[in-house]
Amino acid sequence: MIKNEVFNHMIKIDEDQCIGCSHCVRVCPTEALRVWNGKATLDDPKCVDCGDCERVCPVKAIVVTEDFTEFRDETYHVALLPSVFWGQFSPDISRRRITNAIIEMGFDEVFEVEESVEFLSQELENYLADKKGEKTISSFCPAIVRLIQTRFPELVSSVAHLKSPVDISALHISRSIKKERGEDAKYQIFYVTPCAAKAAAIKNAHGDEKENPITGSVNMDVFYNKVTQLLQGNEEEEGEDIEDNLSGKSVGWSLRGGEGNHIQGRCLSIDGMNHSIEFLENIDKEEFKDIDFLELKACDQGCAGGILNPQNRFLCVESLKKRAMQNDQKQNPLPDLLLEEKDIQIEEIEEMSVLALDSNPSQALKMMNKTRRMMCYLPGFDCGACGAPTCKSLAEDVAKGNAILSHCVFMQREMEKHHRLSPEHAFNIIESIWGKDRLDKDCNKKGAINDYS
Amino acid sequence: METLKLKYSLKDGDFSNAGNASSNIKKNLKMLGINAAVIKKMVVSIYEAEVNMIAHANGGVIEVFIDEEKIKAILADVGPGIPDIDQAMKKGYTTASEEVRQMGFGAGMGLPNIKKNSDDLKIESVVGEGTTLTITSYYKS
Ligand SMILES: Nc1ncnc2c1ncn2[C@@H]1O[C@H](COP(=O)(O)OP(=O)(O)OP(=O)(O)O)[C@@H](O)[C@H]1O
Ligand code: SF4
Ligand code: SF4
Ligand SMILES: [Mg+2]
């Protein structure tokens, strides 16, 4: 169930690192960030954990919280790995060698997320047949699902009410452990996540252990470093490599177009937050009338572009495409899954709009009109010197009472001209946004005389 | 009562921009905090009227008045007018040209859909002068 009173976020700002440069503020597709007191601040309900802010941060101040609980002793530990993880390694390192390294870390079993893809894709095909004539949106990428819940609540019912491969595989794993080791068997399943959004989805599903047996997530960059360290001490073994069971088509499910590959009907595959938003805003247009399935992924190239992938996303895509070609003839690992149709359905995806300016419509109307009145004065440069990403977002902040019009540097000039603001006061405003002494000379900042980076 | 006014001009035959006015109205309604299903119905009815102005009536002007309990859209064109409104309201009745049909319009479902998805629909039309639709929907019915 995708239902939460309080939504857990994995994206956090490390205030000690943040230099208040505002790069993240400008790119956040949901306008969830502002600069205040010289630091980026995040409006949690608006954040969808897409990671676009992390990509542009010059000092690594945007961090993905780990949701890792210590290994419990006497427990069976499973590492659940997405195929993009395997795509991080050069082709001459065998699966056996990588698996050995993971076992050395203390895991008892390694399972690839995409092993449940063939099962899911069959169910998806049935689901789409039921919904013929309606546009169905993939539920795969949690950043996109969250985007729809918060900004396109009218489309929540169009999201496929089907779980994603990670949850389906985890359910299978928990059942097979119980089958082999008894109902009371203790186990922990850790998902190695390529992004903040998947980690958040797992965190938010906690509390329902039967439905969501994943214990926690490990950030892929950290995990990868551990594995590479261990690889240095372990040599390639003689003999056969571990068999790669995935069907060719399953390998690329998480990449752009990977879901569409499995679908008979008409499917559009869109990657990137801004492309996805643009599309969702225009989804009702006549030209998209006959589309059956929409595969939207927050990251460029899909999960290969997730912010926790240590390697270049294009190399990862290339590696997975090769693997898909090699496995082209393989059928699917269907018969082994301990799952039924009903296990992979999602009961409810909640509307959680964050767009209303106020819960009272008449109050919201006043604020909307006020926003428009403010826009008559603001210059429309979207320069960001007020700490907000656009003039319109400053106007909204003013209407909500979270900012004042004189946060705009051009408004300050205007007010000074009419003697309604003293230069000292204007300077204080700048410091309240960008931090104290921020305008002092500093030869150590990026690009300045002492910077050689 | 606090009212938000919006206004859009539509050009004749400008199908590539058909839907822009209704999607902008949708954006505004979402900021009001009203139920998504209610917004959906309102936007469908305004969208159909918007397309009709582009397809049948040489474009025109849409004025929208949003207050705390309802949205009222007035769509006025200076097109050919509708000779028989009762007939035009029938499901499947259309005079859409072949070009318009090829773009996926012309099922004769627009006006019936407006009626179905709104609380009040008023059509005033004078042949040779133009048509004005007034569509009203309440957030709570
Ligand atoms: N604004 C208008 N001016 C002149 N004629 C109109 C106008 N709106 C509708 N009509 C007439 O009424 C008919 C029915 O309109 P309606 O919207 O129900 O169907 P349609 O536009 O033909 O097809 P659809 O809406 O399903 O694409 C139109 O074919 C046209 O003859
Ligand atoms: S994760 Fe995405 S939505 Fe959240 S603050 Fe960063 S850019 Fe904005
Ligand atoms: S595309 Fe994949 S990696 Fe990127 S946010 Fe979505 S699930 Fe995460
Ligand atoms: Mg019509």
Side-chain angles (χ1 to χ4, degrees):
Chain A
M1 200 184 296
I2 305 183
K3 187 173 179 171
N4 295 100
E5 295 308 317
V6 182
F7 193 88
N8 291 298
H9 281 283
M10 297 317 246
I11 290 281
K12 294 271 157 7
I13 293 153
D14 180 346
E15 287 214 353
D16 296 336
Q17 297 299 320
C18 179
I19 54 168
C21 69
S22 85
H23 293 187
C24 57
V25 176
R26 289 162 208 270
V27 300
C28 176
T30 71
E31 298 188 340
L33 289 159
R34 301 286 185 271
V35 177
W36 189 248
N37 272 332
K39 305 284 172 190
T41 56
L42 179 59
D43 185 11
D44 276 329
K46 285 191 183 160
C47 175
V48 301
D49 286 299
C50 68
D52 279 358
C53 45
E54 193 271 355
R55 287 180 240 270
V56 298
C57 178
V59 294
K60 301 243 164 283
I62 310 264
V63 291
V64 180
T65 332
E66 264 200 314
D67 177 26
F68 187 79
T69 350
E70 285 302 301
F71 269 19
R72 264 188 269 118
D73 292 340
E74 330 240 329
T75 299
Y76 189 76
H77 305 105
V78 182
L80 185 52
L81 305 167
S83 69
V84 287
F85 172 75
W86 297 102
Q88 305 299 315
F89 296 91
S90 108
D92 38 83
I93 303 176
S94 71
R95 285 176 80 80
R96 177 176 303 284
R97 197 162 149 223
I98 296 166
T99 305
N100 284 346
I102 297 169
I103 302 284
E104 213 178 305
M105 283 163 69
F107 286 96
D108 301 287
E109 185 184 335
V110 170
F111 196 94
E112 189 160 357
V113 169
E114 279 76 2
E115 286 193 38
S116 61
V117 159
E118 287 288 346
F119 178 72
L120 168 62
S121 80
Q122 275 185 12
E123 292 307 323
L124 179 59
E125 199 68 85
N126 296 338
Y127 189 94
L128 295 179
D130 278 350
K131 302 267 172 185
K132 192 79 201 151
E134 298 168 40
K135 288 179 282 259
T136 297
I137 304 172
S138 166
S139 59
F140 173 81
C141 172
I144 295 289
V145 173
R146 180 94 189 122
L147 177 76
I148 292 173
Q149 289 180 286
T150 53
R151 306 189 86 81
F152 298 93
E154 72 281 11
L155 296 175
V156 157
S157 58
S158 302
V159 178
H161 281 46
L162 295 175
K163 291 181 187 167
S164 73
V166 51
D167 295 317
I168 301 172
S169 290
L171 197 59
H172 161 76
I173 296 168
S174 72
R175 288 188 186 170
S176 70
I177 293 172
K178 284 181 192 152
K179 193 172 156 207
E180 277 166 35
R181 319 182 132 242
E183 276 299 314
D184 303 328
K186 295 252 179 298
Y187 62 89
Q188 286 180 304
I189 303 173
F190 292 97
Y191 173 60
V192 176
T193 182
C195 64
K198 286 272 183 203
I202 285 166
K203 176 114 183 154
N204 284 310
H206 280 180
D208 187 357
E209 208 175 318
K210 201 157 140 268
E211 284 293 302
N212 301 290
I214 303 178
T215 316
S217 57
V218 187
N219 290 352
M220 197 200 283
D221 52 354
V222 175
F223 191 82
Y224 173 86
N225 286 344
K226 258 248 139 74
V227 170
T228 8
Q229 269 169 22
L230 291 167
L231 281 181
Q232 276 153 21
N234 81 19
E235 304 275 295
E236 278 299 346
E237 284 173 27
E238 294 289 313
E240 287 279 291
D241 196 4
I242 296 176
E243 181 145 28
D244 177 0
N245 277 324
L246 279 195
S247 71
K249 274 198 315 191
S250 299
V251 173
W253 184 264
S254 72
L255 304 180
R256 186 187 68 194
E259 296 165 79
N261 252 340
H262 292 250
I263 300 304
Q264 299 285 326
R266 290 186 66 192
C267 166
L268 294 185
S269 303
I270 296 162
D271 60 351
M273 281 296 281
N274 290 327
H275 294 155
S276 299
I277 291 172
E278 185 193 333
F279 185 83
L280 291 171
E281 283 176 349
N282 289 295
I283 193 168
D284 290 328
K285 288 208 163 177
E286 210 64 22
E287 54 194 314
F288 303 126
K289 199 173 64 186
D290 297 325
I291 303 298
D292 301 300
F293 187 61
L294 294 162
E295 176 190 348
L296 307 183
K297 287 174 169 133
C299 299
D300 179 37
Q301 305 296 321
C303 295
I307 56 172
L308 297 173
N309 282 264
Q311 299 290 25
N312 179 284
R313 64 189 180 281
F314 300 106
L315 289 175
C316 175
V317 170
E318 188 244 9
S319 149
L320 293 184
K321 290 233 158 104
K322 264 217 176 94
R323 182 175 162 205
M325 247 145 61
Q326 277 159 7
N327 292 15
D328 192 30
Q329 296 309 318
K330 294 209 168 116
Q331 287 311 311
N332 51 65
L334 254 186
D336 296 338
L337 289 184
L338 304 171
L339 297 169
E340 293 168 51
E341 193 186 319
K342 64 167 176 30
D343 295 325
I344 73 167
Q345 284 158 3
I346 298 172
E347 284 164 48
E348 191 191 353
I349 303 174
E350 219 188 351
E351 290 174 19
M352 302 180 84
S353 177
V354 294
L355 295 172
L357 293 183
D358 194 277
S359 54
N360 173 343
S362 109
Q363 198 55 34
L365 270 174
K366 281 194 188 121
M367 290 178 180
M368 284 163 80
N369 279 330
K370 187 163 183 194
T371 305
R372 296 170 75 84
R373 280 199 301 274
M374 297 294 148
M375 287 303 286
C376 300
Y377 296 99
L378 292 170
F381 299 151
D382 295 344
C383 72
C386 57
T390 60
C391 296
K392 174 120 190 286
S393 54
L394 174 65
E396 273 173 28
D397 289 352
V398 173
K400 287 186 196 166
N402 295 338
I404 46 177
L405 208 51
S406 55
H407 284 174
C408 169
V409 287
F410 299 97
M411 291 307 298
Q412 287 170 16
R413 287 293 160 283
E414 192 66 30
M415 292 161 101
E416 278 170 357
K417 189 172 126 193
H418 295 103
H419 308 290
R420 295 198 344 255
L421 187 73
S422 68
E424 290 74 31
H425 192 178
F427 197 82
N428 287 343
I429 295 174
I430 299 287
E431 284 198 328
S432 70
I433 300 171
W434 295 97
K436 208 160 163 29
D437 304 330
R438 178 61 183 274
L439 298 183
D440 289 0
K441 178 178 176 190
D442 172 10
C443 297
N444 295 320
K445 68 172 164 261
K446 245 192 161 37
I449 207 89
N450 291 343
D451 175 47
Y452 304 105
S453 64
Chain B
M1 206 180 327
E2 188 82 16
T3 306
L4 173 70
K5 297 189 193 102
L6 303 168
K7 192 170 173 180
Y8 310 86
S9 301
L10 308 187
K11 286 205 233 65
D12 183 26
D14 189 9
F15 284 97
S16 58
N17 286 314
N20 287 3
S22 38
S23 85
N24 187 273
I25 294 166
K26 175 159 76 182
K27 261 194 189 164
N28 279 289
L29 287 173
K30 286 205 250 180
M31 294 172 80
L32 261 188
I34 48 182
N35 181 286
V38 177
I39 294 181
K40 224 172 171 171
K41 283 175 67 176
M42 292 176 179
V43 173
V44 166
S45 56
I46 297 173
Y47 172 75
E48 289 292 353
E50 181 185 358
V51 173
N52 278 358
M53 278 179 116
I54 293 171
H56 309 298
N58 317 326
V61 174
I62 307 180
E63 280 183 286
V64 183
F65 303 86
I66 298 171
D67 66 33
E68 60 189 73
E69 54 191 25
K70 65 178 182 304
I71 170 171
K72 184 162 91 179
I74 303 176
L75 300 97
D77 66 57
V78 285
I82 306 176
D84 183 343
I85 293 177
D86 287 339
Q87 186 182 35
M89 289 298 299
K90 290 214 171 75
K91 283 185 188 168
Y93 176 79
T94 180
T95 61
S97 64
E98 191 50 41
E99 291 86 11
V100 170
R101 275 181 224 215
Q102 267 164 11
M103 278 180 285
F105 305 102
M109 289 306 292
L111 289 172
N113 267 337
I114 299 174
K115 179 101 200 136
K116 194 177 88 187
N117 287 297
S118 62
D119 292 320
D120 187 54
L121 167 64
K122 191 168 86 188
I123 304 179
E124 295 155 295
S125 191
V126 178
V127 174
E129 284 183 19
T131 304
T132 299
L133 260 70
T134 306
I135 307 170
T136 311
S137 286
Y138 291 83
Y139 311 144
K140 292 198 186 81
S141 36

